[in-house]
Amino acid sequence: MAKDDSAQMNSSAIAAGVACYVIWGFVPLVFQAIGRQGVSAWEILAHRTIWATPVALVFVLLARQWPQVVAVMRDVKVLRLLCLSAALIACNWCVYIWAVNSGRLLETSLGYYITPLINMATGALFFRERITGLGKIAVGLATVGVVIQTAALGHVPLVSLVLGISFGAYGLVRKQVAAEAQTGLFIECLILSVPGLAYMFWLESQGASHLTASPVTATWLVAAGPITAVPLLLFAWAARRIPLSLMGFLQFIAPTIAFVIGLSQGEAFTPMRALSFAFIWAGAGAFVYGAWTKGRTLPRPA
């Protein structure tokens, strides 16, 4: 590939990476808009999985991965892993939707700041990946931040921990799945759409569904599908084309946007909470610097 083509591809990948994290950063506003229509977190989750499925199918067909979908469907071991990953991401999504509609955006922000540090610890525990001295400092700073956050809130920041641990565990399971990102996403959505459809039909039978309440509500609920699938596709495409060190930096865009939104909406930000975030940000900074220095030492392709 010519240098100009390579540079253009790299620029496109960076743009895709930035776009996916910006979308994830502003997604809380979408779920809050749906929540204001009186829709519960469970109903939002159901529609999120239902309407993400056809979008994910389009991605599979565009990538010509349907034969891989068929192969995965016949592999019981891989299907079990995808059922587990689907359950983990459903837990993550539901807690996140509930949290952003309960005035806990700062807690969700904290959860996604510590996610890469949880991933680092998980890699060391399950894959014997070596944590550098800087990495240990990053994990230590984040741990101190969580402890201070506990003192500031008067209780353990369960939202933050559940979001961080569930997404970290999701990444751990998906690392074991022998399937492309589009294939895995489609099958996960397909798995989750079964209880999602059952719940939606039950709500309809009880006269409690919001899908037919108004055109505005229906539009928001259907939009939850592409809003779920599109950033995941952008992430998968970008992650394969730009250095992990750069992705490590970009991934802090989303929680930063969520943090600013939470502050703008008047969430409590006491000096103790500010101190806890200072430690979290220091840990995130150490993580990014470590990833950047590691990326500089890797050999570059000719």
Short mmCIF file of all heavy atoms in Angstrom, two decimals, residues 119-147:
data_model
loop_
_atom_site.label_atom_id
_atom_site.label_comp_id
_atom_site.label_asym_id
_atom_site.label_seq_id
_atom_site.Cartn_x
_atom_site.Cartn_y
_atom_site.Cartn_z
N ASN A 119 -9.39 -3.92 32.86
CA ASN A 119 -8.95 -4.79 31.78
C ASN A 119 -7.48 -5.18 31.95
O ASN A 119 -7.09 -6.32 31.69
CB ASN A 119 -9.13 -4.10 30.42
CG ASN A 119 -10.59 -3.96 30.04
OD1 ASN A 119 -11.45 -4.67 30.56
ND2 ASN A 119 -10.88 -3.05 29.14
N MET A 120 -6.66 -4.21 32.41
CA MET A 120 -5.25 -4.48 32.62
C MET A 120 -5.07 -5.55 33.71
O MET A 120 -4.30 -6.50 33.55
CB MET A 120 -4.54 -3.19 33.03
CG MET A 120 -3.02 -3.33 33.14
SD MET A 120 -2.28 -1.86 33.92
CE MET A 120 -2.78 -0.57 32.78
N ALA A 121 -5.82 -5.39 34.80
CA ALA A 121 -5.73 -6.34 35.90
C ALA A 121 -6.25 -7.71 35.47
O ALA A 121 -5.68 -8.75 35.83
CB ALA A 121 -6.52 -5.83 37.10
N THR A 122 -7.33 -7.72 34.67
CA THR A 122 -7.89 -8.97 34.17
C THR A 122 -6.90 -9.70 33.27
O THR A 122 -6.74 -10.92 33.35
CB THR A 122 -9.20 -8.69 33.39
OG1 THR A 122 -10.13 -8.05 34.25
CG2 THR A 122 -9.80 -9.99 32.87
N GLY A 123 -6.23 -8.94 32.39
CA GLY A 123 -5.24 -9.54 31.50
C GLY A 123 -4.12 -10.19 32.27
O GLY A 123 -3.64 -11.29 31.91
N ALA A 124 -3.70 -9.55 33.37
CA ALA A 124 -2.63 -10.12 34.19
C ALA A 124 -3.10 -11.38 34.91
O ALA A 124 -2.36 -12.36 35.04
CB ALA A 124 -2.15 -9.09 35.20
N LEU A 125 -4.36 -11.36 35.37
CA LEU A 125 -4.89 -12.47 36.14
C LEU A 125 -5.20 -13.69 35.30
O LEU A 125 -4.88 -14.82 35.67
CB LEU A 125 -6.16 -12.01 36.89
CG LEU A 125 -6.80 -13.01 37.85
CD1 LEU A 125 -5.83 -13.33 38.99
CD2 LEU A 125 -8.10 -12.45 38.41
N PHE A 126 -5.82 -13.47 34.12
CA PHE A 126 -6.28 -14.60 33.32
C PHE A 126 -5.36 -14.95 32.15
O PHE A 126 -5.38 -16.08 31.67
CB PHE A 126 -7.68 -14.31 32.77
CG PHE A 126 -8.75 -14.30 33.83
CD1 PHE A 126 -9.17 -13.12 34.41
CD2 PHE A 126 -9.32 -15.49 34.27
CE1 PHE A 126 -10.14 -13.10 35.40
CE2 PHE A 126 -10.30 -15.49 35.25
CZ PHE A 126 -10.71 -14.30 35.82
N PHE A 127 -4.57 -13.98 31.67
CA PHE A 127 -3.73 -14.25 30.51
C PHE A 127 -2.24 -14.08 30.80
O PHE A 127 -1.42 -14.11 29.90
CB PHE A 127 -4.13 -13.32 29.35
CG PHE A 127 -5.55 -13.52 28.88
CD1 PHE A 127 -6.54 -12.63 29.25
CD2 PHE A 127 -5.89 -14.62 28.11
CE1 PHE A 127 -7.86 -12.82 28.83
CE2 PHE A 127 -7.20 -14.81 27.69
CZ PHE A 127 -8.18 -13.91 28.06
N ARG A 128 -1.95 -13.89 32.08
CA ARG A 128 -0.55 -13.74 32.51
C ARG A 128 0.17 -12.61 31.77
O ARG A 128 1.36 -12.70 31.49
CB ARG A 128 0.21 -15.06 32.34
CG ARG A 128 -0.35 -16.19 33.19
CD ARG A 128 0.45 -17.46 33.03
NE ARG A 128 -0.08 -18.52 33.88
CZ ARG A 128 0.42 -19.76 33.91
NH1 ARG A 128 1.46 -20.08 33.16
NH2 ARG A 128 -0.12 -20.68 34.70
N GLU A 129 -0.60 -11.58 31.41
CA GLU A 129 0.01 -10.41 30.78
C GLU A 129 0.76 -9.61 31.85
O GLU A 129 0.25 -9.40 32.95
CB GLU A 129 -1.07 -9.54 30.11
CG GLU A 129 -1.78 -10.25 28.96
CD GLU A 129 -2.90 -9.39 28.38
OE1 GLU A 129 -3.13 -8.28 28.90
OE2 GLU A 129 -3.54 -9.84 27.42
N ARG A 130 1.95 -9.18 31.51
CA ARG A 130 2.78 -8.48 32.50
C ARG A 130 2.31 -7.03 32.66
O ARG A 130 2.10 -6.33 31.69
CB ARG A 130 4.24 -8.50 32.05
CG ARG A 130 5.21 -8.02 33.13
CD ARG A 130 6.63 -8.17 32.65
NE ARG A 130 6.96 -7.24 31.58
CZ ARG A 130 7.39 -6.00 31.81
NH1 ARG A 130 7.54 -5.55 33.06
NH2 ARG A 130 7.68 -5.20 30.80
N ILE A 131 2.13 -6.62 33.91
CA ILE A 131 1.80 -5.23 34.20
C ILE A 131 3.09 -4.49 34.52
O ILE A 131 3.85 -4.90 35.40
CB ILE A 131 0.83 -5.11 35.39
CG1 ILE A 131 -0.48 -5.85 35.10
CG2 ILE A 131 0.54 -3.65 35.70
CD1 ILE A 131 -1.50 -5.74 36.23
N THR A 132 3.36 -3.44 33.80
CA THR A 132 4.57 -2.65 34.03
C THR A 132 4.46 -1.90 35.36
O THR A 132 3.39 -1.83 35.97
CB THR A 132 4.79 -1.64 32.91
OG1 THR A 132 3.69 -0.71 32.91
CG2 THR A 132 4.85 -2.34 31.55
N GLY A 133 5.57 -1.32 35.78
CA GLY A 133 5.55 -0.51 36.99
C GLY A 133 4.57 0.63 36.89
O GLY A 133 3.84 0.94 37.85
N LEU A 134 4.50 1.25 35.70
CA LEU A 134 3.57 2.36 35.48
C LEU A 134 2.12 1.85 35.54
O LEU A 134 1.22 2.54 36.03
CB LEU A 134 3.86 3.01 34.12
CG LEU A 134 3.39 4.46 33.94
CD1 LEU A 134 3.98 5.36 35.02
CD2 LEU A 134 3.79 4.96 32.56
N GLY A 135 1.92 0.64 35.01
CA GLY A 135 0.59 0.05 35.05
C GLY A 135 0.14 -0.21 36.48
O GLY A 135 -1.03 0.03 36.84
N LYS A 136 1.05 -0.68 37.32
CA LYS A 136 0.71 -0.90 38.74
C LYS A 136 0.37 0.41 39.44
O LYS A 136 -0.54 0.46 40.27
CB LYS A 136 1.88 -1.59 39.44
CG LYS A 136 2.12 -3.02 38.96
CD LYS A 136 3.36 -3.62 39.62
CE LYS A 136 3.62 -5.04 39.09
NZ LYS A 136 4.86 -5.62 39.66
N ILE A 137 1.11 1.46 39.08
CA ILE A 137 0.81 2.78 39.65
C ILE A 137 -0.59 3.23 39.22
O ILE A 137 -1.37 3.74 40.04
CB ILE A 137 1.85 3.81 39.19
CG1 ILE A 137 3.22 3.50 39.84
CG2 ILE A 137 1.41 5.23 39.53
CD1 ILE A 137 4.36 4.36 39.31
N ALA A 138 -0.93 3.01 37.93
CA ALA A 138 -2.25 3.39 37.41
C ALA A 138 -3.36 2.67 38.16
O ALA A 138 -4.35 3.28 38.57
CB ALA A 138 -2.32 3.09 35.91
N VAL A 139 -3.20 1.34 38.34
CA VAL A 139 -4.22 0.56 39.04
C VAL A 139 -4.31 1.01 40.50
O VAL A 139 -5.41 1.14 41.06
CB VAL A 139 -3.89 -0.95 38.96
CG1 VAL A 139 -4.85 -1.75 39.84
CG2 VAL A 139 -3.99 -1.44 37.52
N GLY A 140 -3.15 1.29 41.13
CA GLY A 140 -3.15 1.74 42.51
C GLY A 140 -3.86 3.07 42.69
O GLY A 140 -4.64 3.25 43.63
N LEU A 141 -3.60 4.02 41.77
CA LEU A 141 -4.25 5.33 41.84
C LEU A 141 -5.77 5.20 41.67
O LEU A 141 -6.54 5.85 42.38
CB LEU A 141 -3.68 6.25 40.76
CG LEU A 141 -2.25 6.76 40.99
CD1 LEU A 141 -1.71 7.43 39.72
CD2 LEU A 141 -2.22 7.75 42.15
N ALA A 142 -6.17 4.34 40.74
CA ALA A 142 -7.60 4.14 40.51
C ALA A 142 -8.26 3.52 41.74
O ALA A 142 -9.39 3.88 42.10
CB ALA A 142 -7.82 3.25 39.30
N THR A 143 -7.57 2.58 42.38
CA THR A 143 -8.11 1.94 43.58
C THR A 143 -8.32 2.97 44.69
O THR A 143 -9.35 2.99 45.36
CB THR A 143 -7.16 0.84 44.07
OG1 THR A 143 -6.98 -0.13 43.03
CG2 THR A 143 -7.72 0.15 45.31
N VAL A 144 -7.33 3.85 44.87
CA VAL A 144 -7.46 4.92 45.86
C VAL A 144 -8.65 5.81 45.52
O VAL A 144 -9.43 6.22 46.39
CB VAL A 144 -6.17 5.75 45.95
CG1 VAL A 144 -6.37 6.98 46.85
CG2 VAL A 144 -5.02 4.91 46.47
N GLY A 145 -8.80 6.11 44.22
CA GLY A 145 -9.93 6.94 43.78
C GLY A 145 -11.27 6.32 44.11
O GLY A 145 -12.20 7.01 44.55
N VAL A 146 -11.40 5.01 43.91
CA VAL A 146 -12.65 4.31 44.22
C VAL A 146 -12.91 4.34 45.72
O VAL A 146 -14.05 4.54 46.16
CB VAL A 146 -12.60 2.86 43.70
CG1 VAL A 146 -13.81 2.07 44.21
CG2 VAL A 146 -12.57 2.84 42.17
N VAL A 147 -11.86 4.15 46.53
CA VAL A 147 -12.02 4.18 47.99
C VAL A 147 -12.50 5.57 48.43
O VAL A 147 -13.42 5.69 49.27
CB VAL A 147 -10.69 3.82 48.69
CG1 VAL A 147 -10.80 4.07 50.19
CG2 VAL A 147 -10.32 2.36 48.43
#
